[in-house]
Structure formats: structure tokens, C-alpha cells
């Protein structure tokens, strides 16, 4: 099926978060927002068809759709990631963030240290911040890339941290963690008895030259990790509020699902139907999308790196670019870029030390993306 990713769909006036409050956030209504991590592409036809068929049933009462959805999760992980998952190891959730935050509540006590790896998606700090202690194990910039600092990590584990929230692949730096890196992490977790809550929501958005390594495929990690993910990033379904956890270890699973029962967050019919259609029928369409995103990333990197004062690198996964704006020599690069007519995420959303960065989402039709890049080139050159 040839999909037309160049087709521009008007999202203004569709209650899209990315287009809300532009004037307040960026100081002008006509910015092109390349911010919130969803995509400006239509959902794949098999997903729409499945949702429309369900819609035509006219009644949306209590249902039994979780079991077939869990089986679809297992088929997807087997086919896409060579990971064997049993349906009973899967728990359906409302979303990924509430899932790992529930994990923090279940597997740590108030006051405990929870490790996160800045710069990282803002909500990683929020749950633990409530009544735990967030401890930072910052990623190290090595040349153009970002690496985990295992010496610092071991220091935190030695000091008593027993839970870590991992971003695999990592938003915003775009690293797809290698088996060797996760192996080193695993060794430390096993040595110190640390549980990893692994957010793998971007795992299916791994670029063609790379391979996603689910934490559960790392030897020995089944007893030390819970994988959280969703079809929502990959297939543009974030508004359907459906996600899942994979917990092969029976003891961990019982503790987590006992707490989940108390929360009693029922799952969404359309989210489950869409997840099944996505995982069972949309693998080849996703491959087409990944090619398009890869080309968007490549073209954007070339254009960004041609602007004096900006620097970025090709991510290994995600449709997000973390752009170093230190060379612009301004305090608030986000504002300067907004004045040029492009709305990006502030680096400070990912940690207080990253205000010299901005994050750009390239999951837009190429005509929109190119217009944004033209604005950036013209605006930033003029401003210097
Ligand atoms: C790493 C990461 N985790 C979680 C989320 C949000 O997922 P959910 O809406 O399922 O909580 C995002 C969204 O951008 C993300 O980038």
C-alpha cells in the first residue's frame, strides 16, 4: 500500500494539543509547531477500518477486548523484536507514564531514591518527585553522542537507590541503547538488586540501521525489569489512552497487578481495537513510515547543521531531534526560534541544565517541515 505522507491535514481547530495556546507559548499564532510528540499524519487505514467497524456496533459497554489485545502484543514482540512474551505477562494500562509511576509507588517507599537519566522526558521527574527522591545520573556527551555514565550510576546504587526509570530508546537524545550498554546496566542491577522501569514507547520507532533491544531480552533482566510501552507513539494513537506493561516475573507481576486492580482504570474499547489492528496488520506500513521519517530526519539534520550556532545529530530512534543552540549565544534559544516562526520544545522540559537545547519533532509532512526549516534558516541568519 503506498501511503501519502506528504499530504497536509489541517490540525488547527481539531483540538490538537500541539496547536493549542500557540500565542501564549510562542508569542505568535502562526508558528509551525514541531513540538508535542505526536505525528501530523493520518492513522493507517487498517486501524481506521477496525475502529469504524467497532463504532458501527453502536454500543460501547463493558467488554472482553483486553485478552485479544494482550495476544496481539505478544505477536508483535515475537515478530518485531524476537522477544517471547506470554499473554499472562501483559497488563493493559491507560498510558505509559501512569504505568511507570505506579511502578514507583509499588516498588519503593516514600523517601527512597529513584534514578533517572537527564536529559529526559519531563514527566520522568514528576511521579518520584512527589514523595520520593529523584537522583540524577546524567547522560554524558561524548563527541556527538550521548552515553550512560556507569561509574556515577553505580555510585547511586551503592548509596541505596533500588529503582531506576530507563528511557529505551532515549527521548530526547535519540539513543537506541545497544545490547552491550544494557548488558552493563543489567550487571549493576543484578549486583545491587535494582528494578528497572523501562519506558519503551519509542522502541518501534527505531531507524532502519538500528535495532531496538527490549530490556526484557537482556539476559537476567526478567527478574529485574518491567517494560512499559504502547502502540500510541508508533501509530499516532496517543489520544486513545491505551498502553501496556510486560512483567514476566510472577512476583513482580502480582505486586504490580494488585496495585493496578485498586486503581481500577478500565481500558478503552477504541484504544484496544486500534492496538490490535496496528500490531496485527500494520507492520509493513510502519516500515514505510520509518523510511519517510528517516529521510525527514536526515534532511532536517543537514539543514540545521548548516545554520551557524545550531548543532544536532541523526537520532538512532524517535522522530525527535535534540538541537544544541549554545552557538547562538542567547539565553533563550526557544524564544528566538519562535520569533522565526517555529514552535519547538524548550530544552529545560528535559532537565534544568539543558536550556541551551531545543527539541524538534520532524513527524510532519515534508512541505510543512521544509517551510519550518526555511523559516529557521531565514530567521536565525537575520537575527545574527
Ligand atoms: C519517553 C516517553 N514516555 C512516555 C510518553 C507519554 O506516553 P503516555 O501518553 O502513554 O503516558 C512520551 C510522550 O512523548 C514519551 O516521549
Amino acid at each position: 500500500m503506498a501511503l501519502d505522507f506528504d499530504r497536509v491535514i489541517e490540525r488547527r481547530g481539531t483540538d490538537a494539543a500541539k496547536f493549542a495556546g500557540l500565542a501564549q507559548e510562542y508569542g505568535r499564532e502562526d508558528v509551525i509547531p514541531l513540538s508535542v510528540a505526536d505525528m501530523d499524519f493520518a492513522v493507517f487505514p487498517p486501524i481506521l477500518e477496525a475502529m469504524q467497524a467497532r463504532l458501527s456496533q453502536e454500543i460501547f459497554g463493558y467488554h472482553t477486548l483486553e485478552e485479544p489485545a494482550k495476544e496481539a502484543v505478544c505477536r508483535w514482540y515475537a515478530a518485531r523484536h524476537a522477544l517471547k512474551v506470554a499473554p499472562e505477562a501483559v497488563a493493559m494500562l491507560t498510558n505509559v507514564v501512569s504505568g511507570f509511576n505506579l511502578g514507583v509507588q509499588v516498588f519503593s517507599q516514600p523517601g527512597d531514591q529513584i534514578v533517572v537519566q537527564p536529559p529526559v522526558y519531563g514527566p520522568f521527574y514528576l511521579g518520584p518527585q512527589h514523595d520520593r527522591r529523584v537522583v540524577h545520573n546524567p547522560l554524558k556527551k561524548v563527541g556527538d553522542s550521548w552515553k550512560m555514565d556507569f561509574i556515577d550510576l553505580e555510585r547511586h546504587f551503592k548509596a541505596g537507590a533500588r529503582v531506576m526509570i530507563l528511557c529505551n530508546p532515549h527521548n530526547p537524545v535519540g539513543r537506541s541503547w545497544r545490547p552491550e550498554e544494557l548488558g552493563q546496566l543489567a550487571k549493576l542491577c543484578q549486583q545491587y538488586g535494582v528494578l528497572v522501569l523501562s519506558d519503551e514507547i519509542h522502541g518501534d520507532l527505531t531507524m532502519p540501521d538500528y535495532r531496538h533491544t527490549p530490556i526484557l531480552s537482556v539476559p537476567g533482566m526478567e527478574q529485574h525489569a518491567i517494560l512499559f510501552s504502547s502502540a500510541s507513539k508508533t501509530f499516532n494513537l496517543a489520544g486513545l489512552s491505551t498502553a501496556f506493561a510486560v512483567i514476566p516475573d510472577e512476583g513482580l507481576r502480582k505486586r504490580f497487578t494488585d496495585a493496578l486492580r485498586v486503581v481500577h482504570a478500565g481500558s478503552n474499547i477504541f484504544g484496544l481495537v486500534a492496538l490490535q489492528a496496528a500490531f496485527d496488520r500494520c507492520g509493513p506500513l510502519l516500515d514505510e513510515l520509518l523510511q519517510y521519517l528517516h529521510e525527514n530526519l536526515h534532511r532536517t539534520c543537514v539543514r540545521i547543521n548548516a545554520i551557524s550556532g545550531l548543532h544536532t545529530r541523526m537520532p538512532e530512534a524517535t522522530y525527535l531531534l535534540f538541537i544544541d543552540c549554545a552557538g547562538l549565544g542567547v539565553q533563550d534559544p526557544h524564544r528566538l526560534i519562535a520569533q522565526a516562526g517555529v514552535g519547538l520544545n524548550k530544552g529545560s522540559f528535559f532537565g534544568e541544565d539543558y536550556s541551551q537545547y531545543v527539541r524538534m519533532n520532524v513527524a510532519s509532512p515534508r512541505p510543512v517541515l521544509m517551510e519550518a526549516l526555511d523559516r529557521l534558516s531565514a530567521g536565525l541568519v537575520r537575527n545574527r
Side-chain angles (χ1 to χ4, degrees):
M1 189 183 298
L3 298 166
D4 182 9
F5 295 113
D6 283 340
R7 181 163 72 99
V8 178
I9 300 173
E10 181 55 79
R11 294 191 75 189
R12 283 174 203 268
T14 66
D15 305 310
K18 200 185 270 173
F19 288 82
L22 297 180
Q24 292 96 299
E25 171 129 33
Y26 302 106
R28 54 190 275 190
E29 197 60 62
D30 66 339
V31 294
I32 300 175
L34 303 178
S35 50
V36 177
D38 64 15
M39 301 191 273
D40 296 332
F41 308 123
V43 164
F44 293 146
I47 302 176
L48 283 181
E49 284 157 23
M51 292 176 72
Q52 277 157 352
R54 188 63 187 79
L55 188 64
S56 70
Q57 290 182 10
E58 299 185 73
I59 295 174
F60 310 112
Y62 294 111
H63 57 85
T64 58
L65 286 165
E66 285 204 0
E67 294 316 310
K70 290 178 187 177
E71 284 164 17
V73 169
C74 299
R75 285 190 290 275
W76 180 257
Y77 273 86
R80 210 76 195 175
H81 303 295
L83 179 69
K84 239 179 122 190
V85 171
E88 57 272 19
V90 182
M92 299 313 298
L93 305 169
T94 308
N95 57 42
V96 165
V97 173
S98 61
F100 65 63
N101 278 338
L102 183 63
V104 166
Q105 292 297 316
V106 172
F107 298 107
S108 67
Q109 302 296 320
D112 281 356
Q113 301 172 49
I114 311 294
V115 179
V116 300
Q117 297 183 306
V120 73
Y121 178 61
F124 273 49
Y125 301 98
L126 290 177
Q129 200 167 285
H130 174 60
D131 56 359
R132 269 61 171 165
R133 267 180 58 213
V134 186
V135 293
H136 293 189
N137 168 230
L139 299 179
K140 279 197 307 195
K141 192 119 189 246
V142 180
D144 229 8
S145 187
W146 297 79
K147 305 253 189 265
M148 289 194 203
D149 181 344
F150 290 108
I151 294 173
D152 179 66
L153 187 62
E154 182 165 15
R155 188 172 63 80
H156 291 306
F157 290 176
K158 266 192 185 144
R162 291 292 169 265
V163 175
M164 163 175 184
I165 315 177
L166 175 71
C167 199
N168 177 35
H170 194 94
N171 169 19
V173 307
R175 282 296 322 278
S176 170
W177 301 117
R178 304 281 188 284
E180 308 80 70
E181 292 172 296
L182 294 177
Q184 219 172 326
L185 173 67
K187 231 175 97 195
L188 290 176
C189 290
Q190 287 158 26
Q191 185 178 344
Y192 291 96
V194 173
L195 176 72
V196 176
L197 305 173
S198 186
D199 175 340
E200 307 205 356
I201 198 167
H202 295 277
D204 292 312
L205 291 165
T206 298
M207 290 304 128
D209 291 342
Y210 297 89
R211 219 188 136 74
H212 175 57
T213 305
I215 191 73
L216 294 172
S217 67
V218 178
M221 282 310 274
E222 287 203 348
Q223 289 75 44
H224 286 277
I226 298 181
L227 183 159
F228 296 90
S229 194
S230 151
S232 66
K233 280 293 156 212
T234 320
F235 296 100
N236 215 16
L237 307 170
L240 296 179
S241 297
T242 300
F244 54 88
V246 184
I247 323 174
D249 182 82
E250 242 183 273
L252 293 176
R253 183 163 73 237
K254 179 163 183 344
R255 290 171 70 190
F256 186 82
T257 51
D258 281 353
L260 194 57
R261 249 189 301 283
V262 175
V263 176
H264 201 74
S267 39
N268 177 301
I269 288 181
F270 290 98
L272 294 168
V273 164
L275 176 148
Q276 258 191 79
F279 282 171
D280 281 344
R281 296 169 57 197
C282 295
L285 299 177
L286 173 59
D287 293 332
E288 280 186 49
L289 170 67
L290 289 174
Q291 291 295 341
Y292 190 89
L293 291 174
H294 186 254
E295 183 63 24
N296 273 9
L297 286 167
H298 173 69
R299 290 185 191 204
T300 307
C301 276
V302 170
R303 293 284 303 269
I304 294 287
N305 287 333
I307 299 174
S308 156
L310 300 188
H311 182 72
T312 193
R313 73 187 289 270
M314 274 297 278
E316 300 163 353
T318 80
Y319 45 67
L320 306 164
L321 286 171
F322 204 40
I323 303 172
D324 187 346
C325 307
L328 288 176
V330 295
Q331 279 243 310
D332 188 356
H334 169 264
R335 191 157 144 257
L336 187 63
I337 288 168
Q339 283 164 357
V342 182
L344 304 182
N345 291 106
K346 291 182 181 178
S348 55
F349 176 67
F350 305 95
E352 58 191 9
D353 296 334
Y354 302 93
S355 55
Q356 80 191 62
Y357 289 86
V358 289
R359 191 193 72 175
M360 178 187 278
N361 171 354
V362 306
S364 288
R366 224 158 269 156
V368 174
L369 184 62
M370 292 304 136
E371 159 80 23
L373 290 168
D374 288 345
R375 287 186 185 191
L376 268 187
S377 308
L380 293 189
V381 169
R382 211 179 27 246
N383 265 294
R384 287 171 67 78

